[in-house]
């Protein structure tokens, strides 16, 4: 069955052009012209991924994303006509998976949609869970547990945790984490890593492992001595 993409933008020409390229790649596309329409359509039939414009009348994209994150971890790509970094940072802090500035190449949008969906769905054979201390991470099921209790992690938080547990005790630079979790398109956006590490730390408070900051370098996952 074709995966459905929900396109949310008040500019019909952007929706139509993006839909054209997505449908050529086998996706089905549902349109929403504003935030309230998007939330209603999502509630009726959740898509595999949402492409969400920031600047819209009524509910803006940030408000829509905030509402979505109350109920769902669906991947979200944000669109904006503004170039300020603060827009990107706010969107990522709210749980966006990717960000694109207008005008954009629809082929690049398709490539990012494919990359995110591939990452979310695994794209790999099931693997045995990685266990460090009382933390267990199952990449195939996309589940992380501390003392058997399931952690409520967003998509990028889980991907970041995987990068750490696959390299325990190894120093990882911010650029390495950006490339591993967000892809080369985010090169230089080190603030994104810092924000997500902060969120991840708050969810690992009961774990016997911790994410250590290496000044001027990045981070590493350590298991302190009892």
């Amino acid at each position: 069955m074709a995966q459905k993409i929900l396109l949310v933008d008040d500019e019909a020409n952007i929706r139509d052009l993006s839909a054209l390229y997505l449908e050529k790649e086998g996706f089905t596309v549902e349109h929403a012209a504003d935030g309230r329409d998007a939330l209603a359509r999502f509630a009726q039939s959740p898509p595999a991924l949402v492409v969400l414009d920031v600047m819209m009348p009524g509910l803006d994209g940030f408000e829509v994303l905030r509402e979505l994150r109350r109920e769902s971890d669906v991947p979200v790509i944000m669109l904006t006509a503004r170039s300020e970094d603060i827009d990107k940072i706010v969107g990522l802090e709210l749980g966006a998976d990717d960000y694109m500035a207008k005008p954009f190449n629809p082929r690049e949008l398709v490539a990012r949609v494919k990359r995110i969906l591939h990452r979310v769905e695994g794209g790999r054979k099931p693997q045995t869970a990685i266990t460090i201390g009382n933390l267990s991470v199952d990449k195939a099921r996309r589940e992380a547990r501390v003392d058997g209790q399931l952690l409520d992690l967003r998509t990028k938080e889980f991907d970041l945790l995987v990068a750490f547990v696959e390299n325990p005790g190894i120093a990882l630079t911010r650029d390495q984490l950006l490339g591993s979790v967000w892809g080369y398109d985010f090169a230089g956006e080190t603030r994104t890593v810092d924000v997500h590490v902060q969120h991840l730390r708050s969810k690992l408070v009961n774990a016997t492992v911790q994410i250590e900051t290496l000044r001027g370098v990045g981070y590493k996952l350590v298991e302190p001595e009892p």
Side-chain angles (χ1 to χ4, degrees):
M1 181 180 296
Q3 292 174 298
K4 184 172 71 175
I5 309 299
L6 177 59
L7 275 177
V8 189
D9 198 307
D10 60 321
E11 297 181 67
N13 60 323
I14 291 179
R15 296 198 313 270
D16 291 342
L17 183 60
S18 300
L20 177 65
Y21 280 81
L22 287 165
E23 288 167 350
K24 282 183 178 179
E25 294 298 319
F27 296 102
T28 60
V29 178
E30 185 169 7
H31 297 240
D34 58 57
R36 296 191 186 283
D37 185 26
L39 292 174
R41 292 177 182 275
F42 186 92
Q44 184 177 17
S45 178
L49 181 144
V50 178
V51 178
L52 178 62
D53 186 31
V54 171
M55 301 298 293
M56 295 185 294
L59 289 179
D60 66 20
F62 294 140
E63 293 174 289
V64 173
L65 178 58
R66 190 176 290 110
E67 288 299 315
L68 289 176
R69 285 292 174 256
R70 294 181 192 276
E71 305 290 341
S72 173
D73 198 29
V74 63
V76 176
I77 298 176
M78 303 291 288
L79 305 176
T80 182
R82 301 192 298 190
S83 58
E84 290 88 346
D85 286 342
I86 189 62
D87 277 1
K88 182 181 295 185
I89 292 170
V90 170
L92 293 170
E93 287 180 336
L94 288 174
D97 296 270
D98 205 345
Y99 223 101
M100 294 187 70
K102 295 178 178 179
F104 58 87
N105 186 325
R107 290 188 179 89
E108 183 181 358
L109 174 62
V110 172
R112 294 195 188 201
V113 167
K114 286 182 174 180
R115 185 185 68 199
I116 290 173
L117 290 176
H118 178 76
R119 183 174 291 154
V120 169
E121 292 167 5
R124 300 178 293 269
K125 295 180 180 179
Q127 301 179 33
T128 302
I130 300 171
T131 300
I132 303 176
N134 66 346
L135 172 67
S136 178
V137 179
D138 190 323
K139 295 193 295 179
R141 293 179 178 274
R142 293 192 66 83
E143 292 179 351
R145 298 175 183 272
V146 170
D147 285 330
Q149 296 298 310
L150 186 65
L151 299 181
D152 181 18
L153 299 179
R154 292 174 174 172
T155 301
K156 284 294 185 279
E157 292 170 353
F158 182 86
D159 292 338
L160 186 60
L161 181 58
V162 168
F164 282 122
V165 298
E166 287 184 333
N167 299 278
I170 297 175
L172 299 174
T173 68
R174 290 174 174 84
D175 285 336
Q176 285 177 317
L177 292 168
L178 279 168
S180 173
V181 177
W182 284 270
Y184 66 90
D185 297 301
F186 279 91
E189 296 290 343
T190 55
R191 168 68 175 156
T192 299
V193 175
D194 296 335
V195 168
H196 281 75
V197 166
Q198 181 180 356
H199 291 170
L200 187 55
R201 278 173 169 160
S202 71
K203 297 179 180 181
L204 294 175
V205 290
N206 295 320
T208 57
V209 298
Q210 64 185 39
I211 301 171
E212 182 178 291
T213 300
L214 303 175
R215 290 188 179 279
V217 179
Y219 303 95
K220 70 176 177 180
L221 187 73
V222 297
E223 188 174 11
E225 293 293 332

